[in-house]
Amino acid sequence: MNEHGHGGQGMMFEIRNGTVSLDDWVVFEGLNLRVEPGEIVSVLGPSGCGKTTLLRASCGLERLKEGQRLLDEEVLENATIVPTITMLFQQPVLYPHLNVAQNIALGAPKTMSKMAVKQRVNEVLQSIGLADFQRRGTAGLSGGEAQRVAFGRALMQAPRVMLLDEPFASVDVKRRLELSAMTRSHLKERNITTVHVTHDIEEAKALSDRIVHWHELAVGAQEGVSNGEK
C-alpha cells in the first residue's frame, strides 16, 4: 500500500455461524457469508430483516452472540473496530462545521503528511466528480453529493473491506444507478472486498459481482429457511 492508498490486496471476509440478538429478539442466527478478495457481494432482502445489523456486526459495532468474523481466515476479536474495515451508512455522516475537503480529509491515516493528505483529497474529489467542491459547505449538498463525500472519506482510509448500507436510498432511481456504477468502478480499481446490502435488485445488479438473498444466509431468516441451494 503506498502513501496515497491506491490499490492494495483485497482480503477475504467471512461471517461464520453468526448469531446476533438484541435483548430477547434474535435478529439472525447461524448466518454464513463469505466474500472472496476483491469481490463485491450484494445481500438482497426486505427492510427490517437484519441487513444493517449484519453490517454493524461485520465492522465491530454490534456483538456476535455466537460465531466469528474472519479476515483472510484470521479470527477478529468480537465487537472491535479494525481500521481495515470501513462502513458507509445509509445516511451520510458529515460534519457541518467542516467543508467538503475537510470532511474527506478526516479519513486520512494519521501517518499521512499534510501535503500528501491535500493531494489525496484533491484526487478523491476529482474521482468522485466533486472537483470544484473543496470549500463547499455540507449544508447545501444534495443527497447524492453528500453520499459521494462520505464515500470519498471512506476511500481515504484505504480500507481492505467496505460495508455499504443502502447508501443510495435517498436519491432518485436514475442517480442511484449512476452512483452504483461509479462506486463499483472505484471498488474494483482498488480491489476492495465489499458487502453491500439493499432491497433494490437494480442497484444490486449495477454494483455487485454476486447477489445473495437474505434467506440464503441465515437459519430461520425472513422469506424462509435456507436449504443451501442458490
Side-chain angles (χ1 to χ4, degrees), residues 119-170:
Q119 181 182 340
R120 180 74 183 115
V121 167
N122 287 336
E123 290 173 0
V124 168
L125 283 167
Q126 184 80 34
S127 69
I128 61 175
L130 298 178
D132 298 326
F133 280 61
Q134 286 101 327
R135 294 181 175 80
R136 186 82 66 90
T138 60
L141 298 178
S142 69
E145 288 166 349
Q147 197 58 277
R148 286 187 195 212
V149 174
F151 180 61
R153 185 176 61 213
L155 290 178
M156 284 290 291
Q157 299 174 39
R160 310 294 279 279
V161 177
M162 180 94 70
L163 309 172
L164 304 176
D165 184 12
E166 303 200 57
F168 314 123
S170 63

Side-chain angles (χ1 to χ4, degrees), residues 1-6 109 111-114 116-117 120 156:
M1 184 71 67
N2 66 26
E3 187 180 27
H4 299 302
H6 287 303
T111 54
M112 191 179 280
S113 69
K114 287 185 178 180
V117 169
R120 180 74 183 115
M156 284 290 291

